[in-house]
Amino acid sequence: MFMKKPSAPVKTAAAKAVDNTLTGQNVLAQTIHSETYTGPIPHPDILKKYDDVKSGLAERIVKMAEREQEYRIDTTRREEEQKEKVIDIAAKESDQFIKAQKWGQWIGAAISGSCIIIPLVLALLGYGWEIVTPFLAVPTASLIAAFMPRKGTERLSASEESGEKKQDV
């Protein structure tokens, strides 16, 4: 039987550098410096280089960034004012709609009430059913109409509320 000799362990570059340092050999080291700068205007060193190319160019770049910032602030302010106006208009329309509904309910109640009171008075005065009955038909019809669904105002199904369209087959 043949036996293999154990192989020497493989050393990484870092391990070799440590060995070289321990044995007194010179080691060459390299460092890398990286710098990142973000912002609305270039780094001041870069701005200085722009100014070296053409006098006053750095100042023009800074003024351009200032104008851009003023424009954004003004645009944001105007958008907020528009949103507030839309909200105010919607609130006023909602209040007017509620007032109109209340008036409609009061007027409907007055008409229904008078259509009940008038036939009672007419019946007490001795008028026949031919005259009394039509007055009672109005509040009866309004009660029936109040509980019947109107066309176009039925409750939407869950799929219709989410925007899906039904297809007739």
Side-chain angles (χ1 to χ4, degrees), residues 18-78:
V18 170
D19 287 345
N20 290 340
T21 304
L22 294 175
T23 59
Q25 297 178 1
N26 292 336
V27 177
L28 177 64
Q30 179 182 8
T31 61
I32 298 174
H33 175 78
S34 176
E35 190 174 318
T36 305
Y37 180 82
T38 59
I41 56 174
H43 190 277
D45 294 337
I46 296 173
L47 273 177
K48 186 175 183 345
K49 290 178 184 175
Y50 275 110
D51 232 9
D52 292 342
V53 171
K54 184 175 181 182
S55 179
L57 193 55
E59 185 177 337
R60 287 175 56 192
I61 292 172
V62 170
K63 284 184 179 180
M64 180 180 68
E66 289 172 347
R67 284 192 308 268
E68 176 67 23
Q69 183 179 21
E70 289 172 5
Y71 171 77
R72 288 178 186 232
I73 290 170
D74 186 51
T75 301
T76 303
R77 181 188 51 77
R78 282 186 280 134

Tab-separated table of all heavy atoms in Angstrom, residues 18-78:
chain	number	residue	atom	x	y	z
A	18	VAL	N	1.663	38.329	7.052
A	18	VAL	CA	1.969	38.223	8.489
A	18	VAL	C	3.283	37.480	8.684
A	18	VAL	O	4.146	37.892	9.481
A	18	VAL	CB	0.806	37.537	9.241
A	18	VAL	CG1	1.203	37.200	10.672
A	18	VAL	CG2	-0.420	38.410	9.221
A	19	ASP	N	3.486	36.392	7.941
A	19	ASP	CA	4.739	35.639	8.042
A	19	ASP	C	5.928	36.508	7.662
A	19	ASP	O	6.968	36.494	8.330
A	19	ASP	CB	4.702	34.397	7.144
A	19	ASP	CG	3.798	33.302	7.711
A	19	ASP	OD1	3.443	33.394	8.913
A	19	ASP	OD2	3.438	32.374	6.961
A	20	ASN	N	5.787	37.277	6.572
A	20	ASN	CA	6.864	38.145	6.121
A	20	ASN	C	7.168	39.221	7.159
A	20	ASN	O	8.318	39.583	7.364
A	20	ASN	CB	6.522	38.790	4.783
A	20	ASN	CG	6.515	37.780	3.648
A	20	ASN	OD1	7.113	36.698	3.764
A	20	ASN	ND2	5.840	38.126	2.559
A	21	THR	N	6.136	39.738	7.811
A	21	THR	CA	6.335	40.763	8.824
A	21	THR	C	7.082	40.179	10.019
A	21	THR	O	7.982	40.798	10.584
A	21	THR	CB	4.986	41.350	9.286
A	21	THR	OG1	4.303	41.841	8.169
A	21	THR	CG2	5.170	42.473	10.283
A	22	LEU	N	6.708	38.981	10.398
A	22	LEU	CA	7.352	38.334	11.542
A	22	LEU	C	8.817	37.994	11.250
A	22	LEU	O	9.651	37.993	12.150
A	22	LEU	CB	6.585	37.075	11.947
A	22	LEU	CG	5.169	37.306	12.496
A	22	LEU	CD1	4.478	35.975	12.752
A	22	LEU	CD2	5.223	38.115	13.785
A	23	THR	N	9.147	37.697	10.024
A	23	THR	CA	10.526	37.348	9.667
A	23	THR	C	11.357	38.589	9.365
A	23	THR	O	12.536	38.476	9.092
A	23	THR	CB	10.537	36.419	8.450
A	23	THR	OG1	9.908	37.064	7.359
A	23	THR	CG2	9.858	35.108	8.777
A	24	GLY	N	10.745	39.788	9.395
A	24	GLY	CA	11.502	41.022	9.213
A	24	GLY	C	11.585	41.494	7.780
A	24	GLY	O	12.322	42.415	7.473
A	25	GLN	N	10.872	40.887	6.893
A	25	GLN	CA	10.906	41.329	5.497
A	25	GLN	C	9.969	42.517	5.321
A	25	GLN	O	8.982	42.655	6.028
A	25	GLN	CB	10.505	40.182	4.568
A	25	GLN	CG	11.452	39.012	4.612
A	25	GLN	CD	10.975	37.883	3.719
A	25	GLN	OE1	9.947	37.996	3.073
A	25	GLN	NE2	11.739	36.805	3.691
A	26	ASN	N	10.297	43.356	4.375
A	26	ASN	CA	9.460	44.536	4.093
A	26	ASN	C	8.177	44.100	3.382
A	26	ASN	O	8.206	43.259	2.501
A	26	ASN	CB	10.211	45.548	3.226
A	26	ASN	CG	11.358	46.182	3.975
A	26	ASN	OD1	11.340	46.226	5.210
A	26	ASN	ND2	12.342	46.661	3.247
A	27	VAL	N	7.108	44.738	3.785
A	27	VAL	CA	5.813	44.442	3.178
A	27	VAL	C	5.274	45.739	2.595
A	27	VAL	O	5.301	46.788	3.235
A	27	VAL	CB	4.826	43.894	4.226
A	27	VAL	CG1	3.467	43.657	3.603
A	27	VAL	CG2	5.360	42.631	4.833
A	28	LEU	N	4.779	45.676	1.366
A	28	LEU	CA	4.188	46.832	0.714
A	28	LEU	C	2.681	46.817	0.995
A	28	LEU	O	2.016	45.826	0.739
A	28	LEU	CB	4.438	46.780	-0.796
A	28	LEU	CG	3.808	47.904	-1.622
A	28	LEU	CD1	4.410	49.250	-1.225
A	28	LEU	CD2	4.026	47.653	-3.094
A	29	ALA	N	2.154	47.911	1.547
A	29	ALA	CA	0.725	48.002	1.853
A	29	ALA	C	0.109	49.091	0.992
A	29	ALA	O	0.729	50.102	0.703
A	29	ALA	CB	0.511	48.320	3.323
A	30	GLN	N	-1.129	48.873	0.591
A	30	GLN	CA	-1.833	49.841	-0.249
A	30	GLN	C	-3.155	50.183	0.420
A	30	GLN	O	-3.879	49.298	0.874
A	30	GLN	CB	-2.082	49.251	-1.636
A	30	GLN	CG	-2.828	50.185	-2.550
A	30	GLN	CD	-3.099	49.541	-3.908
A	30	GLN	OE1	-2.865	48.360	-4.102
A	30	GLN	NE2	-3.586	50.328	-4.832
A	31	THR	N	-3.475	51.479	0.503
A	31	THR	CA	-4.765	51.911	1.044
A	31	THR	C	-5.507	52.663	-0.044
A	31	THR	O	-4.896	53.322	-0.876
A	31	THR	CB	-4.603	52.825	2.271
A	31	THR	OG1	-3.881	53.991	1.888
A	31	THR	CG2	-3.894	52.119	3.406
A	32	ILE	N	-6.796	52.533	-0.001
A	32	ILE	CA	-7.637	53.218	-0.985
A	32	ILE	C	-8.552	54.163	-0.217
A	32	ILE	O	-9.205	53.772	0.749
A	32	ILE	CB	-8.464	52.214	-1.807
A	32	ILE	CG1	-7.541	51.293	-2.586
A	32	ILE	CG2	-9.430	52.952	-2.730
A	32	ILE	CD1	-8.266	50.173	-3.309
A	33	HIS	N	-8.591	55.413	-0.654
A	33	HIS	CA	-9.452	56.423	-0.025
A	33	HIS	C	-10.576	56.746	-1.008
A	33	HIS	O	-10.323	57.081	-2.154
A	33	HIS	CB	-8.642	57.688	0.292
A	33	HIS	CG	-9.477	58.802	0.828
A	33	HIS	ND1	-9.911	58.824	2.132
A	33	HIS	CD2	-9.962	59.919	0.246
A	33	HIS	CE1	-10.643	59.910	2.324
A	33	HIS	NE2	-10.675	60.590	1.193
A	34	SER	N	-11.807	56.634	-0.533
A	34	SER	CA	-12.957	56.928	-1.377
A	34	SER	C	-13.831	57.949	-0.665
A	34	SER	O	-14.048	57.860	0.544
A	34	SER	CB	-13.749	55.653	-1.632
A	34	SER	OG	-14.898	55.953	-2.372
A	35	GLU	N	-14.325	58.917	-1.408
A	35	GLU	CA	-15.156	59.966	-0.826
A	35	GLU	C	-16.401	60.133	-1.682
A	35	GLU	O	-16.321	60.155	-2.908
A	35	GLU	CB	-14.364	61.277	-0.806
A	35	GLU	CG	-15.005	62.370	-0.026
A	35	GLU	CD	-14.096	63.588	0.081
A	35	GLU	OE1	-12.886	63.431	0.311
A	35	GLU	OE2	-14.621	64.699	-0.109
A	36	THR	N	-17.543	60.266	-1.026
A	36	THR	CA	-18.807	60.447	-1.733
A	36	THR	C	-19.468	61.711	-1.208
A	36	THR	O	-19.472	61.964	0.000
A	36	THR	CB	-19.735	59.245	-1.492
A	36	THR	OG1	-19.052	58.061	-1.863
A	36	THR	CG2	-20.995	59.366	-2.313
A	37	TYR	N	-20.031	62.477	-2.111
A	37	TYR	CA	-20.702	63.710	-1.727
A	37	TYR	C	-21.982	63.817	-2.529
A	37	TYR	O	-21.978	63.640	-3.747
A	37	TYR	CB	-19.797	64.922	-2.012
A	37	TYR	CG	-20.415	66.232	-1.641
A	37	TYR	CD1	-20.383	66.694	-0.333
A	37	TYR	CD2	-21.061	67.025	-2.587
A	37	TYR	CE1	-20.953	67.897	0.026
A	37	TYR	CE2	-21.640	68.229	-2.237
A	37	TYR	CZ	-21.583	68.665	-0.931
A	37	TYR	OH	-22.153	69.856	-0.579
A	38	THR	N	-23.106	64.048	-1.851
A	38	THR	CA	-24.370	64.259	-2.551
A	38	THR	C	-24.985	65.545	-2.042
A	38	THR	O	-24.801	65.918	-0.880
A	38	THR	CB	-25.357	63.103	-2.303
A	38	THR	OG1	-25.597	62.985	-0.908
A	38	THR	CG2	-24.838	61.790	-2.847
A	39	GLY	N	-25.724	66.183	-2.895
A	39	GLY	CA	-26.399	67.410	-2.500
A	39	GLY	C	-26.877	68.156	-3.724
A	39	GLY	O	-26.612	67.761	-4.863
A	40	PRO	N	-27.559	69.257	-3.507
A	40	PRO	CA	-28.081	70.011	-4.645
A	40	PRO	C	-27.002	70.747	-5.427
A	40	PRO	O	-27.200	71.088	-6.582
A	40	PRO	CB	-29.054	70.999	-3.994
A	40	PRO	CG	-28.577	71.147	-2.585
A	40	PRO	CD	-27.953	69.837	-2.226
A	41	ILE	N	-25.875	70.968	-4.798
A	41	ILE	CA	-24.767	71.626	-5.503
A	41	ILE	C	-23.531	70.737	-5.381
A	41	ILE	O	-23.425	69.926	-4.470
A	41	ILE	CB	-24.487	73.040	-4.932
A	41	ILE	CG1	-24.224	72.972	-3.424
A	41	ILE	CG2	-25.615	73.988	-5.236
A	41	ILE	CD1	-23.811	74.299	-2.816
A	42	PRO	N	-22.577	70.897	-6.294
A	42	PRO	CA	-21.360	70.073	-6.233
A	42	PRO	C	-20.536	70.365	-4.971
A	42	PRO	O	-20.706	71.389	-4.316
A	42	PRO	CB	-20.585	70.477	-7.484
A	42	PRO	CG	-21.568	71.142	-8.370
A	42	PRO	CD	-22.612	71.730	-7.484
A	43	HIS	N	-19.617	69.456	-4.675
A	43	HIS	CA	-18.694	69.615	-3.545
A	43	HIS	C	-17.928	70.931	-3.717
A	43	HIS	O	-17.630	71.342	-4.840
A	43	HIS	CB	-17.735	68.415	-3.519
A	43	HIS	CG	-16.900	68.350	-2.291
A	43	HIS	ND1	-15.747	69.075	-2.152
A	43	HIS	CD2	-17.049	67.653	-1.143
A	43	HIS	CE1	-15.212	68.832	-0.973
A	43	HIS	NE2	-15.994	67.965	-0.342
A	44	PRO	N	-17.587	71.598	-2.615
A	44	PRO	CA	-16.877	72.883	-2.726
A	44	PRO	C	-15.582	72.802	-3.541
A	44	PRO	O	-15.257	73.755	-4.276
A	44	PRO	CB	-16.590	73.247	-1.264
A	44	PRO	CG	-17.681	72.589	-0.491
A	44	PRO	CD	-17.975	71.320	-1.223
A	45	ASP	N	-14.853	71.691	-3.440
A	45	ASP	CA	-13.625	71.564	-4.242
A	45	ASP	C	-13.946	71.559	-5.733
A	45	ASP	O	-13.231	72.147	-6.545
A	45	ASP	CB	-12.883	70.272	-3.862
A	45	ASP	CG	-12.356	70.310	-2.431
A	45	ASP	OD1	-12.176	71.436	-1.899
A	45	ASP	OD2	-12.134	69.233	-1.856
A	46	ILE	N	-15.050	70.897	-6.083
A	46	ILE	CA	-15.455	70.839	-7.496
A	46	ILE	C	-15.948	72.217	-7.943
A	46	ILE	O	-15.656	72.653	-9.063
A	46	ILE	CB	-16.519	69.751	-7.704
A	46	ILE	CG1	-15.918	68.379	-7.400
A	46	ILE	CG2	-17.080	69.793	-9.118
A	46	ILE	CD1	-16.906	67.237	-7.401
A	47	LEU	N	-16.679	72.913	-7.065
A	47	LEU	CA	-17.124	74.270	-7.400
A	47	LEU	C	-15.919	75.173	-7.676
A	47	LEU	O	-15.952	76.001	-8.591
A	47	LEU	CB	-17.965	74.855	-6.263
A	47	LEU	CG	-19.449	74.565	-6.277
A	47	LEU	CD1	-20.125	75.156	-5.053
A	47	LEU	CD2	-20.111	75.070	-7.524
A	48	LYS	N	-14.867	75.020	-6.880
A	48	LYS	CA	-13.656	75.834	-7.082
A	48	LYS	C	-13.063	75.550	-8.460
A	48	LYS	O	-12.626	76.463	-9.157
A	48	LYS	CB	-12.652	75.536	-5.976
A	48	LYS	CG	-11.421	76.429	-6.000
A	48	LYS	CD	-10.568	76.140	-4.797
A	48	LYS	CE	-9.358	76.985	-4.625
A	48	LYS	NZ	-8.836	77.787	-5.634
A	49	LYS	N	-13.108	74.279	-8.869
A	49	LYS	CA	-12.580	73.938	-10.192
A	49	LYS	C	-13.421	74.570	-11.293
A	49	LYS	O	-12.899	74.998	-12.315
A	49	LYS	CB	-12.510	72.417	-10.349
A	49	LYS	CG	-11.444	71.782	-9.480
A	49	LYS	CD	-11.435	70.268	-9.627
A	49	LYS	CE	-10.421	69.655	-8.673
A	49	LYS	NZ	-10.452	68.185	-8.699
A	50	TYR	N	-14.759	74.623	-11.088
A	50	TYR	CA	-15.620	75.306	-12.060
A	50	TYR	C	-15.228	76.776	-12.163
A	50	TYR	O	-15.195	77.347	-13.242
A	50	TYR	CB	-17.096	75.204	-11.654
A	50	TYR	CG	-17.794	73.939	-12.094
A	50	TYR	CD1	-18.172	72.978	-11.165
A	50	TYR	CD2	-18.079	73.714	-13.437
A	50	TYR	CE1	-18.821	71.819	-11.549
A	50	TYR	CE2	-18.730	72.554	-13.841
A	50	TYR	CZ	-19.094	71.610	-12.893
A	50	TYR	OH	-19.728	70.471	-13.281
A	51	ASP	N	-14.958	77.383	-11.007
A	51	ASP	CA	-14.570	78.791	-10.992
A	51	ASP	C	-13.219	79.001	-11.668
A	51	ASP	O	-12.975	80.051	-12.250
A	51	ASP	CB	-14.521	79.310	-9.550
A	51	ASP	CG	-15.333	80.573	-9.365
A	51	ASP	OD1	-16.065	80.953	-10.295
A	51	ASP	OD2	-15.233	81.177	-8.277
A	52	ASP	N	-12.339	77.986	-11.582
A	52	ASP	CA	-11.040	78.083	-12.254
A	52	ASP	C	-11.228	78.061	-13.769
A	52	ASP	O	-10.474	78.698	-14.505
A	52	ASP	CB	-10.118	76.937	-11.825
A	52	ASP	CG	-9.692	77.059	-10.365
A	52	ASP	OD1	-9.823	78.167	-9.800
A	52	ASP	OD2	-9.240	76.041	-9.794
A	53	VAL	N	-12.231	77.325	-14.246
A	53	VAL	CA	-12.491	77.251	-15.682
A	53	VAL	C	-13.016	78.582	-16.183
A	53	VAL	O	-12.560	79.117	-17.193
A	53	VAL	CB	-13.487	76.119	-15.999
A	53	VAL	CG1	-13.930	76.170	-17.457
A	53	VAL	CG2	-12.874	74.769	-15.679
A	54	LYS	N	-14.022	79.134	-15.461
A	54	LYS	CA	-14.599	80.425	-15.859
A	54	LYS	C	-14.972	81.167	-14.588
A	54	LYS	O	-15.701	80.653	-13.748
A	54	LYS	CB	-15.829	80.217	-16.736
A	54	LYS	CG	-16.408	81.514	-17.253
A	54	LYS	CD	-17.546	81.286	-18.224
A	54	LYS	CE	-18.029	82.647	-18.699
A	54	LYS	NZ	-19.152	82.522	-19.598
A	55	SER	N	-14.514	82.361	-14.479
A	55	SER	CA	-14.759	83.158	-13.273
A	55	SER	C	-16.259	83.409	-13.095
A	55	SER	O	-16.963	83.751	-14.042
A	55	SER	CB	-14.011	84.495	-13.385
A	55	SER	OG	-14.264	85.272	-12.244
A	56	GLY	N	-16.767	83.185	-11.859
A	56	GLY	CA	-18.179	83.427	-11.542
A	56	GLY	C	-19.088	82.236	-11.818
A	56	GLY	O	-20.279	82.289	-11.517
A	57	LEU	N	-18.539	81.168	-12.388
A	57	LEU	CA	-19.361	80.008	-12.730
A	57	LEU	C	-19.883	79.299	-11.473
A	57	LEU	O	-21.036	78.869	-11.430
A	57	LEU	CB	-18.560	79.032	-13.601
A	57	LEU	CG	-19.347	77.923	-14.294
A	57	LEU	CD1	-20.478	78.501	-15.144
A	57	LEU	CD2	-18.437	77.075	-15.159
A	58	ALA	N	-19.062	79.228	-10.434
A	58	ALA	CA	-19.501	78.588	-9.182
A	58	ALA	C	-20.662	79.359	-8.574
A	58	ALA	O	-21.637	78.763	-8.096
A	58	ALA	CB	-18.341	78.507	-8.196
A	59	GLU	N	-20.599	80.665	-8.597
A	59	GLU	CA	-21.687	81.486	-8.047
A	59	GLU	C	-22.971	81.289	-8.848
A	59	GLU	O	-24.065	81.204	-8.279
A	59	GLU	CB	-21.287	82.969	-8.056
A	59	GLU	CG	-22.309	83.862	-7.399
A	59	GLU	CD	-21.876	85.317	-7.359
A	59	GLU	OE1	-20.673	85.592	-7.430
A	59	GLU	OE2	-22.774	86.180	-7.260
A	60	ARG	N	-22.845	81.172	-10.156
A	60	ARG	CA	-24.031	80.923	-10.991
A	60	ARG	C	-24.656	79.568	-10.659
A	60	ARG	O	-25.882	79.432	-10.624
A	60	ARG	CB	-23.644	80.974	-12.469
A	60	ARG	CG	-23.366	82.385	-12.948
A	60	ARG	CD	-22.865	82.432	-14.368
A	60	ARG	NE	-23.784	81.789	-15.301
A	60	ARG	CZ	-23.459	81.496	-16.557
A	60	ARG	NH1	-22.258	81.781	-17.023
A	60	ARG	NH2	-24.335	80.912	-17.340
A	61	ILE	N	-23.834	78.560	-10.406
A	61	ILE	CA	-24.345	77.225	-10.063
A	61	ILE	C	-25.084	77.278	-8.727
A	61	ILE	O	-26.169	76.709	-8.582
A	61	ILE	CB	-23.201	76.194	-10.033
A	61	ILE	CG1	-22.662	75.971	-11.454
A	61	ILE	CG2	-23.654	74.882	-9.414
A	61	ILE	CD1	-21.410	75.132	-11.526
A	62	VAL	N	-24.518	77.984	-7.745
A	62	VAL	CA	-25.161	78.098	-6.436
A	62	VAL	C	-26.483	78.854	-6.561
A	62	VAL	O	-27.501	78.448	-5.982
A	62	VAL	CB	-24.212	78.779	-5.422
A	62	VAL	CG1	-24.939	79.118	-4.136
A	62	VAL	CG2	-23.011	77.886	-5.140
A	63	LYS	N	-26.508	79.947	-7.336
A	63	LYS	CA	-27.759	80.702	-7.526
A	63	LYS	C	-28.812	79.855	-8.222
A	63	LYS	O	-30.001	79.943	-7.900
A	63	LYS	CB	-27.490	81.983	-8.316
A	63	LYS	CG	-26.832	83.061	-7.504
A	63	LYS	CD	-26.668	84.332	-8.299
A	63	LYS	CE	-26.013	85.407	-7.451
A	63	LYS	NZ	-25.828	86.653	-8.193
A	64	MET	N	-28.373	79.028	-9.180
A	64	MET	CA	-29.312	78.153	-9.876
A	64	MET	C	-29.936	77.159	-8.875
A	64	MET	O	-31.148	76.918	-8.898
A	64	MET	CB	-28.587	77.386	-10.988
A	64	MET	CG	-29.479	76.449	-11.781
A	64	MET	SD	-28.594	75.559	-13.076
A	64	MET	CE	-27.542	74.503	-12.100
A	65	ALA	N	-29.130	76.608	-7.981
A	65	ALA	CA	-29.642	75.674	-6.969
A	65	ALA	C	-30.600	76.396	-6.017
A	65	ALA	O	-31.629	75.836	-5.616
A	65	ALA	CB	-28.484	75.056	-6.194
A	66	GLU	N	-30.293	77.633	-5.661
A	66	GLU	CA	-31.183	78.411	-4.783
A	66	GLU	C	-32.521	78.682	-5.458
A	66	GLU	O	-33.574	78.563	-4.831
A	66	GLU	CB	-30.509	79.728	-4.391
A	66	GLU	CG	-29.353	79.564	-3.422
A	66	GLU	CD	-28.570	80.847	-3.198
A	66	GLU	OE1	-28.758	81.819	-3.973
A	66	GLU	OE2	-27.768	80.881	-2.254
A	67	ARG	N	-32.490	79.051	-6.753
A	67	ARG	CA	-33.744	79.291	-7.482
A	67	ARG	C	-34.573	78.014	-7.571
A	67	ARG	O	-35.800	78.049	-7.429
A	67	ARG	CB	-33.445	79.832	-8.884
A	67	ARG	CG	-33.038	81.279	-8.910
A	67	ARG	CD	-33.044	81.850	-10.327
A	67	ARG	NE	-32.293	81.064	-11.281
A	67	ARG	CZ	-31.015	81.239	-11.604
A	67	ARG	NH1	-30.334	82.208	-11.036
A	67	ARG	NH2	-30.424	80.468	-12.487
A	68	GLU	N	-33.912	76.889	-7.800
A	68	GLU	CA	-34.615	75.607	-7.871
A	68	GLU	C	-35.290	75.289	-6.542
A	68	GLU	O	-36.436	74.847	-6.499
A	68	GLU	CB	-33.640	74.483	-8.248
A	68	GLU	CG	-34.237	73.097	-8.247
A	68	GLU	CD	-35.286	72.866	-9.320
A	68	GLU	OE1	-35.276	73.584	-10.336
A	68	GLU	OE2	-36.120	71.967	-9.135
A	69	GLN	N	-34.591	75.539	-5.443
A	69	GLN	CA	-35.163	75.282	-4.126
A	69	GLN	C	-36.349	76.206	-3.859
A	69	GLN	O	-37.385	75.766	-3.359
A	69	GLN	CB	-34.104	75.468	-3.039
A	69	GLN	CG	-34.616	75.135	-1.663
A	69	GLN	CD	-33.557	75.302	-0.591
A	69	GLN	OE1	-32.591	76.011	-0.778
A	69	GLN	NE2	-33.776	74.654	0.531
A	70	GLU	N	-36.236	77.484	-4.213
A	70	GLU	CA	-37.356	78.417	-4.053
A	70	GLU	C	-38.556	77.975	-4.878
A	70	GLU	O	-39.703	78.049	-4.416
A	70	GLU	CB	-36.925	79.831	-4.464
A	70	GLU	CG	-35.974	80.493	-3.498
A	70	GLU	CD	-35.425	81.816	-4.029
A	70	GLU	OE1	-35.868	82.266	-5.117
A	70	GLU	OE2	-34.544	82.389	-3.372
A	71	TYR	N	-38.304	77.507	-6.103
A	71	TYR	CA	-39.384	77.033	-6.967
A	71	TYR	C	-40.089	75.835	-6.335
A	71	TYR	O	-41.315	75.766	-6.313
A	71	TYR	CB	-38.827	76.657	-8.343
A	71	TYR	CG	-39.844	75.968	-9.222
A	71	TYR	CD1	-40.847	76.701	-9.857
A	71	TYR	CD2	-39.816	74.584	-9.390
A	71	TYR	CE1	-41.794	76.068	-10.647
A	71	TYR	CE2	-40.750	73.949	-10.177
A	71	TYR	CZ	-41.736	74.692	-10.805
A	71	TYR	OH	-42.673	74.053	-11.568
A	72	ARG	N	-39.326	74.888	-5.809
A	72	ARG	CA	-39.930	73.696	-5.186
A	72	ARG	C	-40.757	74.074	-3.959
A	72	ARG	O	-41.851	73.548	-3.760
A	72	ARG	CB	-38.851	72.692	-4.798
A	72	ARG	CG	-38.241	71.998	-5.982
A	72	ARG	CD	-37.145	71.052	-5.537
A	72	ARG	NE	-36.469	70.508	-6.694
A	72	ARG	CZ	-36.277	69.218	-6.892
A	72	ARG	NH1	-36.704	68.357	-6.018
A	72	ARG	NH2	-35.650	68.802	-7.955
A	73	ILE	N	-40.233	74.977	-3.151
A	73	ILE	CA	-40.970	75.418	-1.961
A	73	ILE	C	-42.264	76.109	-2.377
A	73	ILE	O	-43.332	75.848	-1.818
A	73	ILE	CB	-40.092	76.342	-1.095
A	73	ILE	CG1	-38.965	75.539	-0.447
A	73	ILE	CG2	-40.930	77.056	-0.033
A	73	ILE	CD1	-37.911	76.390	0.233
A	74	ASP	N	-42.179	76.981	-3.378
A	74	ASP	CA	-43.365	77.697	-3.856
A	74	ASP	C	-44.393	76.739	-4.452
A	74	ASP	O	-45.590	76.856	-4.194
A	74	ASP	CB	-42.948	78.749	-4.892
A	74	ASP	CG	-44.114	79.623	-5.314
A	74	ASP	OD1	-44.801	80.163	-4.417
A	74	ASP	OD2	-44.344	79.757	-6.530
A	75	THR	N	-43.928	75.764	-5.224
A	75	THR	CA	-44.830	74.784	-5.827
A	75	THR	C	-45.523	73.956	-4.754
A	75	THR	O	-46.742	73.735	-4.816
A	75	THR	CB	-44.052	73.861	-6.784
A	75	THR	OG1	-43.441	74.650	-7.798
A	75	THR	CG2	-44.962	72.834	-7.421
A	76	THR	N	-44.786	73.530	-3.755
A	76	THR	CA	-45.372	72.746	-2.659
A	76	THR	C	-46.411	73.579	-1.916
A	76	THR	O	-47.490	73.091	-1.583
A	76	THR	CB	-44.270	72.285	-1.684
A	76	THR	OG1	-43.303	71.527	-2.418
A	76	THR	CG2	-44.843	71.441	-0.569
A	77	ARG	N	-46.107	74.846	-1.666
A	77	ARG	CA	-47.048	75.732	-0.969
A	77	ARG	C	-48.328	75.909	-1.788
A	77	ARG	O	-49.437	75.811	-1.259
A	77	ARG	CB	-46.400	77.097	-0.715
A	77	ARG	CG	-47.286	78.081	0.033
A	77	ARG	CD	-46.681	79.478	0.103
A	77	ARG	NE	-46.252	80.002	-1.182
A	77	ARG	CZ	-47.060	80.504	-2.122
A	77	ARG	NH1	-48.357	80.523	-1.923
A	77	ARG	NH2	-46.584	80.966	-3.262
A	78	ARG	N	-48.186	76.115	-3.105
A	78	ARG	CA	-49.360	76.287	-3.959
A	78	ARG	C	-50.201	75.006	-4.012
A	78	ARG	O	-51.434	75.073	-4.007
A	78	ARG	CB	-48.952	76.707	-5.371
A	78	ARG	CG	-48.594	78.191	-5.450
A	78	ARG	CD	-48.336	78.648	-6.864
A	78	ARG	NE	-46.974	78.253	-7.209
A	78	ARG	CZ	-46.617	77.670	-8.342
A	78	ARG	NH1	-47.494	77.424	-9.270
A	78	ARG	NH2	-45.366	77.341	-8.573
